[in-house]
Amino acid sequence: MTGIKKIIDWAYKNNDVFYYISFLSLVFAKTLGFYSGDKEYMIIMAFAMVCLGLKLLFTKYTLKEIIVMGIVGLYAVFIYLKTGYVTFTIMILTVLGLKNIDVLDLMKKVLFVRIICISVLVTASVAGIVGNAVKDQFEDGLTYSYGFQSPNEFMVNIFITVALILYLNYKKLNILHFLLSIYAFYAVYRVTNSMTGFMLGMFLVFVFLCLKLFDRLGKPGYIIKKVISAAVIPTSLLCFIGTFVMSVFFDVNNKFMFMLDQLITGRLKIQHQYWLNYGFSLLGKDISRAAARWDGVQINNGFLDSNYWCSFYKYGFVTEMFFIACLVFASWYFYKKKNYNLTIIINTLCLYGLMEDFLISSVVNPFLLFVAFAIYDAAGLNRKQSGEVIRLE
């Protein structure tokens, strides 16, 4: 009995170990390109959920916390059972286990795992061990994914990895970091033809470059940062409103809408077709089978790239508003904490959500951990670090 008691005491004192193993296992699986339908992913996810369960079991919660977590958790499970899509549910479960976790330390380990996995996958693809998944992306010709499920997924993984490198090494950033980041985005663009990903990658580098230049300007630069961070707080909400309006009222005969649709490779036309097919989605729908048609061609929801539109249909308007409310709250929280860099970076990623469906996944987009941290810290639930610890200015 004494031995068992020691093990239990150790588990209570070191419950964060279970969370690290759980979250990093999911990052490992996702960065290696596994999908929820893959047997390997299902095994890793089952292992990760067991570890997450141990983290929750050996973390001390108040009755109020348990009630709130229970309500949110049940809603997440309900959405999964109703729609069959698991990403939102996994995101909620990983967030619920975040209490007392050192987010900055976890992010550093996430970056390490991502770099290793991407390096292994690309090397294995070049060596012919895994497929390169050559795709014919309409008029763009041949594109390559280097082991990932699609060229776009390759670009998204590079984008998130570069964002982590630039953010976590912010104090040490120099011209070499920026040049290597630009080269990485250009090199991936050359093999994927992901123009939107390339443009947003360049914008990400530009944002970090501006932040560093503002630092050099002293007080005027600080004021500029403050103004910009205040202005970007509602970015996710504005992105959803803009996406909703343009998708619902899309008119191919409208010159502006037609040009915008061409710029983003037909996404508006596809999104409008889903509106015509499915209408409003309050609590999410299964859109995996009855796909929309595009110029007479049957397409699946993999072409429904916008996170705001895809999440609106998969998880419903209620879930979308809850998610956006969390993003806006976190932006406001970090702004009030004068952490302008993080406010700006979180909302820069929100812009990428206009083009790709990864924003709502905490495993693919670990910056959501900062959003969860803001909510936990505002509620007084974080014990291992304060809001000032993740300031990297």
Side-chain angles (χ1 to χ4, degrees):
M1 291 298 292
T2 303
I4 295 176
K5 186 177 184 304
K6 286 183 178 180
I7 293 175
I8 293 176
D9 290 341
W10 179 90
Y12 272 110
K13 292 178 181 178
N14 300 278
N15 56 70
D16 55 342
V17 173
F18 299 117
Y19 188 87
Y20 274 66
I21 295 174
S22 174
F23 193 82
L24 294 176
S25 295
L26 292 173
V27 172
F28 171 80
K30 202 66 177 177
T31 311
L32 281 180
F34 293 127
Y35 268 66
S36 57
D38 296 329
K39 182 178 180 181
E40 297 86 349
Y41 184 82
M42 294 175 66
I43 293 173
I44 294 174
M45 185 172 71
F47 171 73
M49 290 300 102
V50 170
C51 292
L52 180 60
L54 291 173
K55 166 62 172 68
L56 294 171
L57 179 64
F58 291 109
T59 301
K60 295 180 180 179
Y61 296 98
T62 65
L63 179 60
K64 181 180 178 181
E65 291 169 4
I66 292 174
I67 293 174
V68 172
M69 290 171 62
I71 293 173
V72 175
L74 287 174
Y75 176 76
V77 172
F78 164 76
I79 291 296
Y80 168 66
L81 294 176
K82 183 178 186 301
T83 67
Y85 298 111
V86 73
T87 301
F88 173 74
T89 305
I90 292 178
M91 186 268 288
I92 290 296
L93 293 177
T94 57
V95 166
L96 291 179
L98 198 63
K99 182 179 179 180
N100 297 341
I101 297 298
D102 187 332
V103 175
L104 190 58
D105 182 61
L106 177 60
M107 294 282 274
K108 292 175 181 177
K109 291 176 172 56
V110 166
L111 175 58
F112 177 78
V113 172
R114 290 184 68 86
I115 291 176
I116 294 297
C117 289
I118 291 174
S119 300
V120 169
L121 198 58
V122 171
T123 302
S125 177
V126 172
I129 299 173
V130 298
N132 203 1
V134 179
K135 300 282 185 177
D136 187 358
Q137 300 281 31
F138 301 106
E139 73 276 10
D140 293 334
L142 297 180
T143 55
Y144 305 86
S145 62
Y146 283 89
F148 289 93
Q149 294 284 350
S150 69
N152 276 355
E153 186 178 340
F154 184 24
M155 177 62 85
V156 167
N157 273 278
I158 295 300
F159 181 90
I160 292 296
T161 303
V162 171
L164 283 170
I165 291 172
L166 295 178
Y167 186 77
L168 295 175
N169 294 279
Y170 182 78
K171 291 183 179 180
K172 303 175 183 178
L173 290 184
N174 54 46
I175 189 64
L176 183 61
H177 289 92
F178 293 114
L179 290 177
L180 289 175
S181 298
I182 292 172
Y183 174 76
F185 286 126
Y186 178 73
V188 176
Y189 162 69
R190 291 290 295 175
V191 298
T192 64
N193 279 339
S194 178
M195 175 58 73
T196 53
F198 175 68
M199 291 189 299
L200 288 164
M202 292 298 97
F203 182 66
L204 176 74
V205 174
F206 174 74
V207 168
F208 273 99
L209 181 60
C210 288
L211 291 176
K212 293 297 288 187
L213 291 175
F214 293 154
D215 289 342
R216 290 182 174 272
L217 292 177
K219 188 174 181 180
Y222 178 83
I223 294 174
I224 294 174
K225 270 190 183 183
K226 182 177 181 180
V227 172
I228 293 176
S229 61
V232 302
I233 288 174
T235 297
S236 57
L237 178 60
L238 295 177
C239 284
F240 173 75
I241 293 174
T243 300
F244 189 89
V245 171
M246 295 298 289
S247 298
V248 171
F249 298 102
F250 175 74
D251 181 2
V252 72
N253 296 314
N254 181 288
K255 188 175 181 180
F256 171 75
M257 288 186 177
F258 177 77
M259 290 179 60
L260 181 60
D261 183 55
Q262 293 297 302
L263 180 64
I264 58 177
T265 60
R267 284 178 171 87
L268 284 180
K269 185 186 297 183
I270 295 172
Q271 290 167 194
H272 179 63
Q273 188 62 52
Y274 270 84
W275 174 259
L276 295 178
N277 283 13
Y278 297 104
F280 193 82
S281 174
L282 182 65
L283 293 173
K285 299 180 178 181
D286 182 356
I287 57 173
S288 61
R289 293 181 176 84
R293 301 186 70 85
W294 183 42
D295 291 343
V297 178
Q298 193 81 356
I299 60 174
N300 59 43
N301 62 79
F303 288 89
L304 200 62
D305 290 329
S306 170
N307 183 90
Y308 301 99
W309 204 237
C310 197
S311 295
F312 166 67
Y313 273 116
K314 284 184 175 180
Y315 313 114
F317 179 77
V318 174
T319 301
E320 183 81 354
M321 289 299 99
F322 170 75
F323 180 64
I324 289 175
C326 291
L327 288 171
V328 173
F329 173 81
S331 299
W332 173 254
Y333 169 88
F334 288 119
Y335 172 78
K336 296 295 289 184
K337 290 286 185 178
K338 300 181 180 179
N339 194 336
Y340 304 133
N341 282 359
L342 192 50
T343 303
I344 293 171
I345 297 306
I346 287 174
N347 287 284
T348 298
L349 266 69
C350 288
L351 292 176
Y352 205 158
L354 286 168
M355 303 299 175
E356 295 294 342
D357 180 28
F358 74 93
L359 187 65
I360 203 168
S361 171
S362 57
V363 177
V364 179
N365 176 24
F367 283 88
L368 285 183
L369 297 179
F370 286 137
V371 175
F373 169 86
I375 296 171
Y376 271 65
D377 198 59
L381 302 181
N382 285 319
R383 309 299 180 205
K384 289 198 172 185
Q385 62 177 22
S386 69
E388 299 300 317
V389 174
I390 57 177
R391 179 183 301 281
L392 298 182
E393 290 96 325

